[in-house]
Amino acid sequence: MNQEKLIVIDFGGQYNQLVARRVRECNVYCEIYSYKTDIEKIKAMNPKGIILTGGPNSCYEADSPTYTKELFELGIPVLGLCYGAQLMMHILGGKVEKAPVREYGKTETFIDGAKNTLFAGIEESTVVWMSHFDYISKVAPGFEIIAHTADCPVAAACCEEKKLYAIQFHPEVLHTVKGKEIISNFVRNICQTAGTWKMDSFVENTIKEVREKVGDGKVLLALSGGVDSSVLAALLAKAIGKQLTCVFVDHGLLRKNEGDEVEGVFGPSGEFDINFIRVNAQDRYYAKLAGVTEPERKRKIIGEEFIRVFEEEAKKIGKVDFLAQGTIYPDVVESGLGGESVVIKSHHNVGGLPDYVDFKEIIEPLRNLFKDEVRKAGLELGLPDYLVFRQPFPGPGLGIRIIGEVTAEKVKIVQDADYIYREEVGNAGLEKLPDQYFAALTNMRSVGVMGDERTYDYAVALRAVETVDFMTAEASEIPFEVLQRVMSRIINEVKGVNRVFYDLTSKPPGTVEME
């Protein structure tokens, strides 16, 4: 990519992706690289600015992550955050020590001295998010202290002449009240960026790049109906039309009407002129899952069966030139390919390529986008809101929202209950309240009374969580009258259910999903 960009150098900070996202919110492109990245590679990218992330280490210890002093002599603005700030001071001749008082959480911070560019427009007192056990006890030569707290003498320091800035707190998190303004001051004013990274230009440029790369070749995409694969399908459709074949495997574990919605958008009656193949494999999946109750075993069966079905369809199509995948930037970073933070998961979209499809090359046009950017691209491409803003949905689908054995009867129960729940939350105008909400079917059956008859039916659990990053989550406070309506409708309208529970468990100790 030729556009202006900033680089985030990752020292193992938990907020590395958040830093990059905040930069992109300033309409400037940004990528994450490990601290092990060679200085020559950094120079070759010609970044407009560099941000050093936080990290769990002490910069003065011999085996801690570090970087060459040359980074600060390139004439490129550098912003160090937390560990990055301490490392900057340590390398340039300041002193970092174990803090007598550890600071964690929301902390009042005072801006010192003459106004500097980084804190332009920021009040003399502001609340920031601190998280450190070391502190800068002496700033490097040429630096001045520009902020402090009651317990931290150097909350921020700068060398305006060289455009080097060190801040002890985390401006990238929402808890830092003026964090967005601080990052914008660095990105737009100090780094002198034009801010031309916008989704319409990304879509336009990517369509052009795909056309050039694919030429007159054929592209195959496994379309799940999720946000990433749907946006990818729309982008490829705009770029290459009938050269794209989408295989949509309906495993019978989707939410109510979801299979038909996907076909309505991408199938023959939709607006995209592509080859669309829907495989109705519900019975096949139910047969494979019969008698299986262990969650991981269910996941494995569903994943393996998808490969088998997709393989069969791919063989019918024959040779294709490209296999498209909906890899997005968090997949890349979390798989250890884009930064230095702990590898959270090995992602199915990154790394090993399927060996059951005859293709020359893989293409991943969305691999540099965060999820919110993928959604913006989807809107730009004309996808309907209900698809673009679809809630996170696990790959194994309702297979992990049904505790115990999966059967066609249980799938219908959870589909109908979930549909009612989502409808009532929508009717109450609460769509924006929970970040994710759904109904799950427990494996518990109990005695109830309906009319004059005793029943022995299932219990449905309702789940709704609020979260920033899905690493932690809290149960949402759905109004009681809404829950009452949901309960009443589910018991009256969904055959086989006589109890409804609301799951109050946070993550941790629970997970967002039920299995």
Side-chain angles (χ1 to χ4, degrees), residues 18 25 37 75 91 144 177 179-180 196 235 272 294 392 403 410 438 487:
L18 201 49
E25 285 169 6
T37 306
I91 289 172
E144 65 169 321
V177 176
K180 191 174 179 181
T196 54
L235 189 141
F272 297 106
E294 204 272 315
I403 313 302
K410 286 183 176 181
F438 57 87
M487 175 274 298

Side-chain angles (χ1 to χ4, degrees), residues 198-454:
K198 293 187 174 72
M199 206 40 62
D200 54 354
S201 57
F202 168 83
V203 168
E204 187 182 325
N205 292 337
T206 306
I207 285 173
K208 194 188 304 176
E209 287 169 14
V210 168
R211 279 184 187 141
E212 287 172 6
K213 187 176 186 68
V214 171
D216 59 0
K218 292 182 177 179
V219 179
L220 177 63
L221 168 65
L223 178 63
S224 69
V227 176
D228 302 337
S229 73
S230 295
V231 171
L232 177 57
L235 189 141
L236 292 172
K238 296 268 189 186
I240 56 172
K242 283 285 192 186
Q243 291 166 249
L244 170 67
T245 298
C246 288
V247 176
F248 170 50
V249 179
D250 186 346
H251 49 31
L253 301 169
L254 296 171
R255 286 169 286 206
K256 188 171 182 176
N257 300 333
E258 210 158 67
D260 293 339
E261 287 173 0
V262 173
E263 184 170 359
V265 173
F266 294 104
S269 60
E271 63 176 274
F272 297 106
D273 187 25
I274 60 172
N275 298 305
F276 176 84
I277 299 168
R278 177 175 180 174
V279 185
N280 292 311
Q282 297 92 327
D283 292 343
R284 180 170 170 170
Y285 273 86
Y286 298 155
K288 287 276 184 182
L289 290 166
V292 180
T293 58
E294 204 272 315
E296 281 308 307
R297 181 77 189 120
K298 286 197 289 186
R299 288 174 189 267
K300 194 170 181 185
I301 288 170
I302 293 166
E304 286 175 349
E305 198 58 22
F306 173 82
I307 291 173
R308 298 286 81 81
V309 176
F310 187 61
E311 178 183 20
E312 289 166 17
E313 293 304 317
K315 281 176 180 172
K316 291 177 194 172
I317 295 164
K319 189 172 183 356
V320 294
D321 301 284
F322 300 91
L323 181 69
Q325 289 194 158
T327 309
I328 65 173
Y329 203 45
D331 301 334
V332 175
V333 175
E334 290 175 2
S335 300
L337 303 179
E340 192 52 39
S341 295
V342 177
V343 176
I344 298 164
K345 60 183 177 182
S346 56
H347 197 276
H348 67 278
N349 277 339
V350 181
L353 305 180
D355 56 7
Y356 52 84
V357 179
D358 185 11
F359 66 96
K360 284 193 310 191
E361 197 177 338
I362 195 159
I363 54 172
E364 300 169 311
L366 306 180
R367 71 177 281 121
N368 290 322
L369 298 187
F370 288 104
K371 180 69 95 176
D372 55 331
E373 294 169 331
V374 173
R375 294 187 197 279
K376 286 177 189 170
L379 294 175
E380 195 66 35
L381 288 159
L383 286 174
D385 280 12
Y386 68 78
L387 206 159
V388 170
F389 294 104
R390 183 161 279 168
Q391 289 198 11
F393 192 60
L398 299 179
I400 59 170
R401 291 183 183 173
I402 295 171
I403 313 302
E405 182 185 15
V406 175
T407 64
E409 177 203 9
K410 286 183 176 181
V411 169
K412 184 167 187 338
I413 288 173
V414 79
Q415 280 179 334
D416 290 344
D418 181 72
Y419 186 83
I420 289 168
Y421 184 29
R422 287 187 289 125
E423 187 173 64
E424 288 299 334
V425 168
N427 289 343
L430 301 176
E431 299 101 320
K432 296 286 188 280
L433 175 63
D435 291 291
Q436 187 172 352
Y437 54 100
F438 57 87
L441 184 63
T442 74
N443 203 27
M444 186 190 99
R445 299 180 80 175
S446 64
V447 173
V449 178
M450 295 180 77
D452 294 323
E453 294 181 1
R454 289 168 70 82

Side-chain angles (χ1 to χ4, degrees), residues 115-122 181 185 189:
K115 279 291 180 185
N116 62 85
T117 320
L118 188 65
F119 291 148
I122 309 297
E181 289 83 348
N185 282 340
N189 301 334

Side-chain angles (χ1 to χ4, degrees), residues 13 24 50 250 348 351 488 492 497:
R24 292 191 188 183
I50 296 167
D250 186 346
H348 67 278
S488 177
N492 280 288
V497 178

Side-chain angles (χ1 to χ4, degrees), residues 57-65 90 98:
N57 304 91
S58 293
C59 66
Y60 46 79
E61 291 178 351
D63 57 349
S64 290
H90 179 68
K98 189 73 72 183

